[in-house]
């Protein structure tokens, strides 16, 4: 466990810019946790890599890149929030509760909606180029 920082810890508190940069470390740890522990996150990352590769090979336009990038981001954010919601519920209780089921199912449903929307973007961007 790390030592606390601040006026009572004996260690100087980091400056605001240092603290800002350090916050990226925590964010990266959150992303890495989701990738490392969540099978579906790894599936989404693989799909994102495939989409980026397809975009590069097919030479999609800047607007199409923007659409693909937003779709990828939307799915990864939804999956990360799903992971957070599940962890928060599991922290609260390991027993079945109907509200916990609603929260977990709703978070998973949000990922499903985001994934379907991303598939729609992929069809709109990639299919016409593949059919030529």
């Amino acid at each position: 466990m790390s030592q606390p920082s601040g006026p009572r810890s004996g260690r100087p508190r980091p400056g605001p810019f240092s603290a800002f940069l350090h916050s990226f470390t925590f964010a990266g740890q959150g992303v890495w946790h989701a990738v490392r522990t969540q099978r579906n996150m790894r599936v989404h990352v693989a799909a994102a890599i495939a989409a980026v590769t397809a975009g590069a090979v097919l030479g999609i336009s800047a607007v199409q890149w923007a659409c693909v990038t937003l779709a990828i981001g939307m799915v990864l954010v939804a999956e990360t929030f799903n992971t957070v919601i599940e962890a928060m519920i599991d922290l609260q209780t390991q027993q079945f509760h109907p509200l916990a089921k609603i929260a977990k199912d709703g978070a998973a449903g949000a990922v499903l909606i985001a994934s379907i929307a991303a598939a729609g973007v992929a069809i709109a961007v990639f299919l016409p180029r593949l059919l030529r």
Side-chain angles (χ1 to χ4, degrees):
M1 183 151 214
S2 66
Q3 295 287 331
S5 66
R8 297 183 188 172
S9 70
R11 287 188 2 212
R13 180 167 274 184
F17 186 70
S18 176
F20 173 73
L21 290 178
H22 199 63
S23 68
F24 284 96
T25 301
F26 296 127
Q29 289 172 355
V31 172
W32 177 240
H33 173 80
V35 170
R36 186 171 38 86
T37 64
Q38 303 300 309
R39 179 193 67 226
N40 289 343
M41 179 62 112
R42 291 189 297 274
V43 169
H44 295 309
V45 168
I49 291 168
V52 169
T53 302
V57 168
L58 296 172
I60 63 176
S61 71
V63 171
Q64 290 170 323
W65 272 116
C67 292
V68 168
T69 302
L70 284 171
I72 289 169
M74 180 176 58
V75 172
L76 297 180
V77 166
E79 186 63 49
T80 303
F81 279 137
N82 183 44
T83 300
V84 169
I85 289 167
E86 287 185 357
M88 291 174 62
I89 291 168
D90 291 345
L91 178 65
Q92 184 64 31
T93 183
Q94 291 293 317
Q95 297 176 355
F96 176 82
H97 192 285
L99 292 176
K101 178 178 178 10
I102 290 169
K104 286 185 170 191
D105 291 351
V111 177
L112 178 63
I113 292 167
S115 298
I116 291 169
V121 170
I123 289 168
V125 169
F126 299 128
L127 191 60
R129 290 181 178 270
L130 291 171
L131 292 177
R132 283 191 219 153

